[in-house]
Amino acid sequence: GEACPAAAWEVFREYDYRSSMSPSTYDAARQLLYQIVTVRTPYIERPGGGGAEPAGGIRHYLRAVDGVSASPRFEFDTQLDRMIFNAVWDFGRSRMVALSFRDWGSNLDLSIVTFNTSSGEPVVTQEHHPIQEQISAEGALLSSGLASADGMGTVDVLFGTYYTVMPAALPGSSQVVHVIVAIDIERRRVLQSVTLPVTLMNLQINALQHVLYGAGADLDGRYAYFELCRASLPGPGDPSAHGRSSTADAVGEAATKVSVDCHPVELGALPPVVNHMYLQSASIDHELNYAWFAYKQAAAGRPQILEYHHDSADYTLWHEDALHPEAAFPSLANPSAGPQLVFSLKAPEILHARFDPSGERLVIAFDAPTLRGSAPLDSDGDGVPDTWHEPPQGDRVPCEWLLDDATAGAIAGALCEWPSAGELVAEVPPMAMLAPGDPVRPRPGV
């Protein structure tokens, strides 16, 4: 048969060691379930890990499984150039986001893995950006090379924020707790790092409300459910909105500035039957604001499902026969998360449209932050949007791109710009026909 390429490995055909560094993550657009697999290849060790081969002959691979047929999509698995963990799928930008080390004991990096499947085989691009020096949380166990391989991570696909955890030690306690880290993916920048008096077992983000939740054990060993962080954008009424809501940064993208506030609040103790939980086996319904996660009453018992209702701070235990009796490890996933967000989003509406005192500018305010006329782009031709076309802040574009035909016709030739995500300003030509009291409407579909 065909020879295995140098950057691939037939992971499930020939190996003598395998471990998972993250739960599976789902690419809804391609209907692919990605697994990260570690393989030990003892016969090709290179002393000291020099060159392309890590020490000990350990290699890391990305395996893509068809979500419909439950079989491998591609003939070979793609070799990763390092160990990555706590991986999540960023539906908003069609990419995988994770933490990584080059080697054990190396500094912690943010890894971004992008895909192109236009040729039928995946072309994978891997980027790694240092973030360890940006993490200031007290007690974080970073210098020991212990940053978490617990698999916990989630992403707010609308704000482009990656949340993950790493272990920490608190003075006077022998319990290893967690640091919550919020990272702006586009800027490769840590927004927040906070040490919790909790050892977390899972993370979920409601990306419509931008609230981070998690279940875990407090310092008394009691399991509880917590609201961990809230994220927000400056609104049109915020005097600091101008210049804060978006900016052109070093990566050449117009990125949204997000504020993340992490002050953990206990929502309630979990029922006594929850004695053991699976790491990051959790899912969330963004619209109904329900979460689900797997647990056991006894270590040798069968796995079961708990459903938590965030709005009422209440829970429901699924029937004990909900899972197959022989199921040993249930990995919960939510393949509809991305599309659910798309169809659940309420489009911002025009709050008011007013001429400035000179009559030369029309200021249009919205009731919520907008995407500033962004449109999805398939930059590599594989039929899956990879990014957004977003006008850089301060750039002026023809108003007919953003306003409906009647409105644009009444200010023919006008140019528009976005001072902030919640405000659009049109420069009105002297011959414009628009008058006070006339309706102003956005272009449908924008």
Side-chain angles (χ1 to χ4, degrees):
E2 183 181 353
C4 184
W9 190 262
E10 298 174 84
V11 173
F12 289 104
R13 300 182 193 177
E14 182 179 349
Y15 65 91
D16 67 351
Y17 175 82
R18 170 179 172 266
S19 68
S20 173
M21 307 307 296
S22 291
S24 300
T25 184
Y26 192 76
D27 177 351
R30 297 181 177 90
Q31 294 185 311
L32 291 178
L33 190 72
Y34 297 110
Q35 299 172 322
I36 298 169
V37 178
T38 298
V39 177
R40 184 185 299 278
T41 51
Y43 299 108
I44 54 174
E45 291 186 18
R46 295 185 183 181
E53 190 66 40
I58 295 177
R59 292 179 174 181
H60 310 282
Y61 292 87
L62 187 67
R63 180 173 177 81
V65 177
D66 190 300
V68 177
S69 65
S71 60
R73 172 70 65 86
F74 308 110
E75 183 171 2
F76 300 109
D77 300 299
T78 299
Q79 184 175 0
L80 299 169
D81 55 27
R82 57 170 64 190
M83 180 185 77
I84 70 173
F85 47 90
N86 296 9
V88 296
W89 186 256
D90 180 8
F91 175 84
R93 295 276 183 167
S94 191
R95 61 190 173 187
M96 183 180 287
V97 185
L99 300 179
S100 70
F101 293 127
R102 177 62 186 91
D103 296 296
W104 283 109
S106 300
N107 283 349
L108 183 68
D109 292 337
L110 171 70
S111 292
I112 301 174
V113 183
T114 56
F115 301 78
N116 182 351
T117 52
S118 58
S119 65
E121 292 294 324
V123 177
V124 180
T125 302
Q126 304 172 53
E127 301 175 12
H128 310 289
H129 307 274
I131 60 165
Q132 179 162 317
E133 298 302 319
Q134 302 178 47
I135 298 171
S136 58
E138 180 182 2
L141 300 174
L142 293 174
S143 60
S144 303
L146 297 174
S148 176
D150 292 338
M152 278 183 275
T154 188
V155 64
D156 185 333
V157 300
L158 299 180
F159 281 1
T161 309
Y162 168 51
Y163 294 89
T164 188
V165 301
M166 55 196 58
L170 290 177
S173 174
S174 60
Q175 180 173 330
V176 175
V177 295
H178 277 124
V179 172
I180 286 285
V181 182
I183 301 173
D184 183 322
I185 303 172
E186 282 304 306
R187 291 189 181 82
R188 290 75 160 136
R189 189 173 302 161
V190 174
L191 300 174
Q192 185 70 270
S193 60
V194 176
T195 303
L196 307 176
V198 176
T199 303
L200 290 169
M201 302 300 291
N202 56 56
L203 290 176
Q204 309 93 37
I205 183 79
N206 185 317
L208 288 175
Q209 300 181 11
H210 313 291
V211 179
L212 182 71
Y213 300 98
D218 63 17
L219 296 180
D220 296 322
R222 185 179 63 100
Y223 280 124
Y225 200 67
F226 299 87
E227 178 186 305
L228 301 171
C229 304
R230 285 180 174 264
S232 62
L233 294 174
D238 187 335
S240 63
H242 184 75
R244 279 188 58 206
S245 60
S246 63
T247 183
D249 63 13
V251 296
E253 294 282 347
T256 300
K257 283 191 175 178
V258 174
S259 297
V260 177
D261 186 23
C262 295
H263 292 288
V265 176
E266 181 178 318
L267 299 180
L270 295 180
V273 295
V274 179
N275 293 318
H276 306 274
M277 282 189 286
Y278 292 90
L279 287 172
Q280 200 51 13
S281 180
S283 185
I284 193 167
D285 185 303
H286 302 264
E287 188 171 11
L288 296 177
N289 207 18
Y290 291 179
W292 300 271
F293 50 88
Y295 72 95
K296 283 185 175 183
Q297 295 188 43
R302 61 187 301 174
Q304 299 181 47
I305 303 296
L306 182 146
E307 176 179 302
Y308 199 94
H309 303 170
H310 296 118
D311 293 338
S312 61
D314 197 8
Y315 62 85
T316 297
L317 300 177
W318 284 20
H319 193 275
E320 65 177 11
D321 295 329
L323 297 176
H324 192 279
E326 296 182 4
F329 174 73
S331 181
L332 301 184
N334 191 354
S336 64
Q340 182 188 37
L341 288 175
V342 172
F343 293 118
S344 298
L345 286 173
K346 177 181 178 293
E349 297 179 352
I350 292 178
L351 194 62
H352 57 74
R354 297 170 179 163
F355 287 102
D356 72 352
S358 70
E360 296 177 351
R361 300 169 80 241
L362 178 68
V363 180
I364 305 170
F366 292 84
D367 64 354
T370 72
L371 296 177
R372 300 194 300 124
S374 301
L377 290 179
D378 176 16
S379 58
D380 53 26
D382 65 354
V384 178
D386 306 287
T387 186
W388 298 85
H389 172 267
E390 187 173 5
Q393 185 178 13
D395 277 18
R396 297 184 299 170
V397 299
C399 288
E400 57 261 30
W401 291 9
L402 305 170
L403 303 175
D404 72 354
D405 291 341
T407 306
I411 53 173
L415 295 176
C416 285
E417 66 174 307
W418 296 92
S420 74
E423 186 178 80
L424 177 66
V425 175
E427 297 180 0
V428 181
M431 302 303 292
M433 303 298 294
L434 189 71
D438 289 348
V440 173
R441 302 184 184 90
R443 178 166 291 281
V446 174

